[in-house]
Amino acid sequence: MRRGVPVALILAVVSTLVCPAWTGADSPARPDDFAYVDHIIPDIQVELRYCTGNNFVGRPIDGYLKPRCILTRRAAEALKRVQDELRPYGLGLKIYDAYRPQRAVDHFVRWAQDPDDAKTKHTYYPRMKKDDLFRDGYIAKRSGHSRGSTVDLALVSLSQQGSEAEIDSQQGSEAEIDMGTPFDFFGPESWSASSAVSAPQRAHRLLLRALMEKHGFKPYLKEWWHFTLTDEPYPNTYFDFPVE
């Protein structure tokens, strides 16, 4: 049975809300205050897309050696508070990407500059020109992910029985909540406030955004899945140690 996220939860969370350029050097080493997220949130779901070919480039990305989700400890602990608030409602989080080494960002840039590589266009950017991805803010030469406190994530149902979540089979997972577009879909449909998606899908995005903001994250309005810790510990440092 397909069910919706409880309206009471959405209203309760929303009611609690009142509706930098790089200057440092890249560091090759992982600081002690970076942590594996599953050590802090044992029931977190992780689908690290860039460690596989299931992404907009269509192949594993440089620097992703193992499917391990890494964040600064401060960001991971804030994320745990989001998960803790969702859990009583049978909901949780799935992470698609967290810390991203600079070499992975460089891989994205090379891909975006190659007009002949368009094998993923139909799935990820069907109505956009590849050379507009820089202009429109989907690809950049620096990413907040490389600072260690930015995360890409979605809502999921923690249990398929007795859950109040709407279960969607998108991307082959029966536990994902319907957010309106897949992760990493390039286009206005992925904007947080897009009117191109249904009212329930907008409500799911609003719930995710409201909880993330409540616990110290700021959204990127062109990607419903993208959030950065407001008080990030390395606001001017872009790391390049591999994900392993």
Side-chain angles (χ1 to χ4, degrees):
M1 177 182 297
R2 295 174 62 87
R3 299 177 179 142
V5 170
V7 173
L9 173 59
I10 296 171
L11 294 176
V13 172
V14 174
S15 68
T16 67
L17 300 179
V18 177
C19 298
W22 180 71
T23 58
D26 289 353
S27 170
R30 191 179 81 188
D32 291 340
D33 62 342
F34 276 66
Y36 291 115
V37 176
D38 61 336
H39 291 177
I40 295 174
I41 318 173
D43 62 343
I44 196 76
Q45 293 191 34
V46 176
E47 187 181 338
L48 212 60
R49 293 285 185 86
Y50 301 139
C51 201
T52 75
N54 184 17
N55 58 63
F56 66 87
V57 176
R59 61 182 65 90
I61 303 303
D62 293 353
Y64 287 84
L65 306 184
K66 293 183 180 178
R68 302 302 306 273
C69 183
I70 301 170
L71 284 171
T72 61
R73 181 169 295 276
R74 189 182 300 173
E77 289 174 347
L79 204 61
K80 181 180 185 299
R81 293 191 286 274
V82 178
Q83 181 88 338
D84 288 346
E85 188 158 348
L86 285 167
R87 191 179 295 111
Y89 296 91
L91 302 175
L93 301 170
K94 173 186 274 190
I95 295 177
Y96 295 114
D97 194 34
Y99 162 72
R100 178 186 304 165
Q102 180 60 42
R103 70 193 75 179
V105 179
D106 296 341
H107 192 168
F108 293 166
V109 170
R110 292 195 305 273
W111 170 84
Q113 292 174 335
D114 180 3
D116 295 327
D117 185 351
K119 65 181 180 181
T120 65
K121 178 175 176 60
H122 177 74
T123 301
Y124 289 98
Y125 55 107
R127 288 174 289 281
M128 291 196 66
K129 296 179 180 179
K130 194 175 184 183
D131 55 6
D132 288 341
L133 296 178
F134 285 105
R135 181 200 67 187
D136 292 345
Y138 296 108
I139 303 288
K141 294 183 178 180
R142 293 282 179 182
S143 170
H145 283 276
S146 301
R147 303 193 299 262
S149 296
T150 293
V151 62
D152 294 336
L153 75 179
L155 295 171
V156 295
S157 169
L158 295 179
S159 172
Q160 293 186 33
Q161 292 186 353
S163 169
E164 294 297 326
E166 179 175 348
I167 297 172
D168 180 53
S169 59
Q170 189 179 72
Q171 299 291 332
S173 171
E174 292 185 351
E176 292 185 13
I177 303 300
D178 185 0
M179 306 297 286
T181 72
F183 163 65
D184 260 357
F185 183 86
F186 300 142
E189 299 92 334
S190 290
W191 296 6
S192 294
S194 173
S195 60
V197 300
S198 70
Q201 292 162 346
R202 290 197 300 274
H204 299 162
R205 293 180 184 188
L206 178 60
L207 172 60
L208 177 62
R209 176 179 169 181
L211 281 170
M212 293 295 286
E213 289 184 325
K214 178 180 178 181
H215 293 287
F217 291 88
K218 57 186 176 183
Y220 178 52
L221 299 182
K222 288 189 175 183
E223 297 175 349
W224 59 257
W225 55 81
H226 180 115
F227 297 88
T228 299
L229 188 70
T230 302
D231 187 24
E232 58 180 313
Y234 298 100
N236 300 304
T237 304
Y238 293 78
F239 295 95
D240 193 37
F241 60 84
V243 175
E244 59 181 349

